[in-house]
Amino acid sequence: MTNVIVHDHLMGTGKSTRMIETINNAPEENRYIVVAPFLDECHRYAGTIPCEKSGDKKKPATDERGRVIYNGTGCNASGREFHHPIAGYRNKVQDIERLVQEGRDIVTTHAALKMFTPETRQAIKDNGYTLIVDEELECIEQLRLRKERRMMLLNSGFVEEDDFGLLRWVAPDDASSDDEESDIDGTGLSWEQRIKRMCKNGSLLLVDDDTGDRKLFMWEYPIEFITAFDRVEVMTYMFEGSVFQKYLMCYGIPYEHKKGIMIPENPFDLIRIVENERMNRVGERLEAFSATHQKAFQRSHAVVDTTKQNLINFFNNNTYGYAPMEERMWTCLKGGSGLLKGKGYTRRFVPHNIKAVNSYAGVSKIAYVYNPYMSPEIYKHLKRKGDEFAPDPTRYMLAEALQMIYRSRVRNDEPVNIYIPSSRVRDGMYDWMSGKYT
């Protein structure tokens, strides 16, 4: 039986550092696959640096003989050499398969992990790998394909639904549409190759949409891939009520839940939320600043105008704490940033779903103009299995908001001033600081 251990600790409490130490102190024959959300974190674990010439692909730097340069940090402090799967004469997924077959230590991102094949699974089992997941494992998501692509797959006979709701690839392997698009997620695979992989490893489901038609594609990590590992260790925060916890419960996978620090000792001193009735009035509605709400923003929208003035006031008024430009940070739905930008903060925008990045550890003034809601399709997919498997929407909202807030200096126990116009998020934060969600 696979041993699943969940390390549930507040951000900034050293989860990753401790895991690196654990790997460095492990017997040399132990084999690891480390999954991190971003390439920078992959380099941190491996003790490598990105090659500047590779741009956003951030391939590891090599010497004149083409050998990866290790710098003695991260897991390389003990002499271990973690390998980055590289797309060259083969795609990145195929390179992972080669590395697993050879029994190498591997570091990769979540996207590549989704494409493992049954052959890779068997090699993982044979070599006795441990899986390390930095941040929660992405185990369920709605596969977002353009409607014409979904309908082409369903109507062409390329895929069929089996008795368990799984989509299976039944066309010849060389069958292909005229609609090609390569490497859309960094795996080196086109969208069609990704579909083939998912169908063959039993991870693609056909589920009902809002009208009751079975036209939605839902990707679910095959439980057989989890159980192929000798050990799975996940470093996360707010595990209880999460999608990953409900996923494990659905499949009856036992886990050891190790709780650490869940809230700081003095949360109300560290996180100073703006309480200004006039500024907060714009977010009184429950769904205010959700993705759906922000997608409806227009340039002349009254909410846009009011929110923009509030942001200008917050960032340029020392009443809410003085902060030089480099200590400011704000977020909203990416598509709304152009409408909400203004004097004193425009260039300090960060994505609302930022995680595992420490580049903003000096930030002292934050505007969180977002209201996270879990994907309704994922929620309904799990709830159909039973009410006890439905994730907790409030915990999801808090986990998402805190991930962004904890990119700031609050992770180092230094105070921050924060403007949260959404009443739902603001009330949730007060409940969290009061200890309700520990």
Side-chain angles (χ1 to χ4, degrees), residues 142-182:
Q142 182 186 352
L143 189 65
R144 299 196 179 279
L145 280 178
R146 295 205 299 262
K147 182 178 179 181
E148 59 269 24
R149 289 178 174 174
R150 291 202 315 272
M151 300 315 297
M152 183 278 292
L153 288 168
L154 293 172
N155 296 331
S156 66
F158 281 19
V159 297
E160 288 182 357
E161 184 181 10
D162 69 13
D163 293 340
F164 301 99
L166 294 171
L167 285 172
R168 298 296 184 180
W169 188 269
V170 294
D173 282 343
D174 60 354
S176 178
S177 71
D178 295 328
D179 177 17
E180 285 297 329
E181 181 180 358
S182 63

Side-chain angles (χ1 to χ4, degrees), residues 60-215:
T62 57
D63 61 18
E64 64 278 1
R65 296 175 61 183
R67 297 174 301 189
V68 172
I69 299 171
Y70 293 90
N71 59 19
T73 63
C75 297
N76 186 239
S78 62
R80 280 188 182 270
E81 293 187 354
F82 270 79
H83 295 258
H84 300 260
I86 302 296
Y89 71 94
R90 61 179 76 216
N91 61 54
K92 188 179 288 188
V93 176
Q94 289 173 322
D95 200 34
I96 290 180
E97 293 172 351
R98 175 185 65 82
L99 293 170
V100 170
Q101 294 286 350
E102 295 175 359
R104 308 286 188 179
D105 290 319
I106 302 165
V107 61
T108 187
T109 56
H110 289 267
L113 192 68
K114 296 175 183 178
M115 298 293 112
F116 279 7
T117 63
E119 292 75 22
T120 310
R121 178 185 68 202
Q122 188 59 48
I124 287 169
K125 195 174 186 68
D126 292 343
N127 287 315
Y129 272 96
T130 292
L131 175 64
I132 306 294
V133 183
D134 198 333
E135 301 298 343
E136 187 173 289
L137 181 69
E138 295 177 359
C139 52
I140 302 174
E141 71 173 352
Q142 182 186 352
L143 189 65
R144 299 196 179 279
L145 280 178
R146 295 205 299 262
K147 182 178 179 181
E148 59 269 24
R149 289 178 174 174
R150 291 202 315 272
M151 300 315 297
M152 183 278 292
L153 288 168
L154 293 172
N155 296 331
S156 66
F158 281 19
V159 297
E160 288 182 357
E161 184 181 10
D162 69 13
D163 293 340
F164 301 99
L166 294 171
L167 285 172
R168 298 296 184 180
W169 188 269
V170 294
D173 282 343
D174 60 354
S176 178
S177 71
D178 295 328
D179 177 17
E180 285 297 329
E181 181 180 358
S182 63
D183 200 13
I184 61 173
D185 59 358
T187 60
L189 301 175
S190 70
W191 74 270
E192 201 167 290
Q193 290 172 321
R194 289 169 65 234
I195 294 295
K196 289 180 186 178
R197 288 260 178 167
M198 292 176 184
C199 288
K200 289 186 175 183
N201 66 28
S203 62
L204 198 58
L205 294 141
L206 195 62
V207 300
D208 295 345
D209 62 16
D210 289 336
T211 67
D213 291 332
R214 296 180 70 73
K215 293 180 180 177

Side-chain angles (χ1 to χ4, degrees), residues 19-76:
M19 184 54 66
I20 289 171
E21 291 174 356
T22 297
I23 294 172
N24 280 327
N25 292 327
E28 185 178 345
E29 62 270 17
N30 286 18
R31 287 291 164 260
Y32 294 93
I33 296 178
V34 173
V35 180
F38 300 106
L39 291 171
D40 285 337
E41 282 296 294
C42 290
H43 284 290
R44 180 191 173 199
Y45 272 96
T48 53
I49 56 173
C51 173
E52 292 183 4
K53 293 182 179 179
S54 65
D56 292 341
K57 292 185 177 181
K58 298 186 178 181
K59 295 181 180 180
T62 57
D63 61 18
E64 64 278 1
R65 296 175 61 183
R67 297 174 301 189
V68 172
I69 299 171
Y70 293 90
N71 59 19
T73 63
C75 297
N76 186 239

Side-chain angles (χ1 to χ4, degrees), residues 302-346:
V303 173
V304 171
D305 295 339
T306 302
T307 305
K308 183 174 179 177
Q309 288 305 311
N310 291 344
L311 288 170
I312 292 171
N313 182 28
F314 172 68
F315 281 113
N316 296 285
N317 189 335
N318 290 346
T319 301
Y320 307 109
Y322 170 76
M325 184 63 70
E326 66 271 15
E327 291 186 17
R328 303 177 185 187
M329 179 170 71
W330 72 291
T331 195
C332 64
L333 193 69
K334 187 176 180 180
S337 61
L339 298 176
L340 295 175
K341 65 183 180 181
K343 178 184 176 183
Y345 59 92
T346 294

Side-chain angles (χ1 to χ4, degrees), residues 9 23 31 55 103 121 156 159 169 185 207 221 298 300 312 333 348 354 356 360 376 400 406 416 419:
H9 301 248
I23 294 172
R31 287 291 164 260
R121 178 185 68 202
S156 66
V159 297
W169 188 269
D185 59 358
V207 300
Y221 201 78
Q298 303 289 330
S300 60
I312 292 171
L333 193 69
R348 298 297 294 169
I354 190 171
Y360 302 92
E400 290 292 302
Y406 263 80
V416 295
Y419 172 50

